[in-house]
Amino acid sequence: VNEIRFKQTNQDLPVDNLSFSIIHDPNKCVLCGDCVRACKEMQSVGAIDFVNRGARTIVGPAFVKSLRDVDCVYCGQCVSVCPVGALVPKPEIEAVWDDIHNPEKYVVAQIAPAVRVALGESFGFEPGTINTGQVVSALKRIGFNQVYDTSFAADLTVFEEATEFIERKLKGEKLPQFTSCCPSWVKFAEQYYPELLPNLSTCKSPQQMFGSVAREILPKMLGIKLENLVIISIMPCTSKKYEAKREEFIHNGLADVDHVLSTDELSRM
């Protein structure tokens, strides 16, 4: 629901769409507080809370800041519990359609394992039904040129992290070693436990590892310009949208992964 057809009795508040992963529309909020509790009690972040008093009460970050400018780790727990769509994943569908319809672009998708198990529920399949074949066929008909499995990049990550762990174990330093595959967990550690950062694996996540490998190899294999290759991830997690926009994964103006679609976004396409 993008528009409310009923008459507003209060003044419209600005919609926060500056975050990399989440859009916050306070005009739809019913002040149930579910997102506040999820953020504070489940995630121990507390990026949002009740602001102001009486009829002026809203839910949001302190001092009317954007979610981009506070301690939000983009985990999406607030989105999952919001019953009215005041907090939703930031869509990238239109940007993906633009690239697909651009004849100069060569569009490549990578699919996370969880997506092909969850997607079928949008079309009436039993929960847990694996739809790998249907997903690949649909992506090809939509206009994607190639479709890859993120499990391939996950195998690369396992090899790299195992090699790194063996080196650390032999040297007896920077132990224990923590995986770095979850961008929300990494951001949480950066904000609240910086002393643990040396213990994080230096390996990229499977999403970013695929992006960097594809950027390096596919233009040469396909005979296309680097800037014409578009890499799209289809992921079950809102924080992957944030991860793809991190400065560390953008080189010479080109991101390792251009766009990230959620399972729901793919079902709508």
Side-chain angles (χ1 to χ4, degrees), residues 107-116 135-136 139 144-154 156-157 205-215 218 230-236 240 243-244 255-263 266:
V107 186
V108 170
Q110 59 164 318
I111 315 175
V115 173
R116 46 209 139 139
V135 172
V136 174
L139 288 171
F144 286 84
N145 298 102
Q146 291 187 357
V147 182
Y148 288 90
D149 191 338
T150 307
S151 296
F152 160 72
L156 293 179
T157 307
S205 70
Q207 169 180 278
Q208 297 306 132
M209 205 169 283
F210 175 86
S212 59
V213 170
R215 279 261 183 261
L218 286 182
V230 179
I231 300 173
I232 295 168
S233 297
I234 304 170
M235 297 283 152
K240 288 296 182 183
E243 182 183 38
D256 290 341
V257 175
D258 294 287
H259 306 295
V260 179
L261 297 173
S262 67
T263 308
L266 178 61

Side-chain angles (χ1 to χ4, degrees), residues 73-130:
V73 296
Y74 306 112
C75 64
Q77 293 301 320
C78 59
V79 172
S80 67
V81 299
C82 179
V84 291
L87 290 153
V88 295
K90 191 169 188 175
E92 299 185 51
I93 293 176
E94 293 305 321
V96 172
W97 278 125
D98 289 342
D99 285 329
I100 289 173
H101 292 146
N102 186 339
E104 295 184 356
K105 300 294 185 181
Y106 194 92
V107 186
V108 170
Q110 59 164 318
I111 315 175
V115 173
R116 46 209 139 139
V117 178
L119 186 69
E121 293 183 45
S122 300
F123 301 96
F125 287 89
E126 287 291 323
T129 304
I130 299 174

Side-chain angles (χ1 to χ4, degrees), residues 141-178:
R141 295 188 67 177
I142 283 173
F144 286 84
N145 298 102
Q146 291 187 357
V147 182
Y148 288 90
D149 191 338
T150 307
S151 296
F152 160 72
D155 289 342
L156 293 179
T157 307
V158 169
F159 290 134
E160 292 295 329
E161 287 187 342
T163 302
E164 185 178 24
F165 173 73
I166 291 171
E167 291 178 356
R168 291 189 184 193
K169 180 67 174 175
L170 292 175
K171 294 178 181 178
E173 59 184 27
K174 298 180 182 177
L175 295 173
Q177 176 180 304
F178 299 125

Side-chain angles (χ1 to χ4, degrees), residues 186-208:
V186 172
K187 193 170 190 294
F188 186 86
E190 288 173 338
Q191 292 176 176
Y192 301 112
Y193 298 96
E195 68 275 12
L196 293 180
L197 293 181
N199 294 85
L200 264 69
S201 169
T202 60
C203 299
K204 296 179 180 181
S205 70
Q207 169 180 278
Q208 297 306 132

Side-chain angles (χ1 to χ4, degrees), residues 24 65 79 179 234 237 247:
H24 175 218
K65 288 187 176 182
V79 172
T179 180
I234 304 170
C237 177
E247 293 180 359

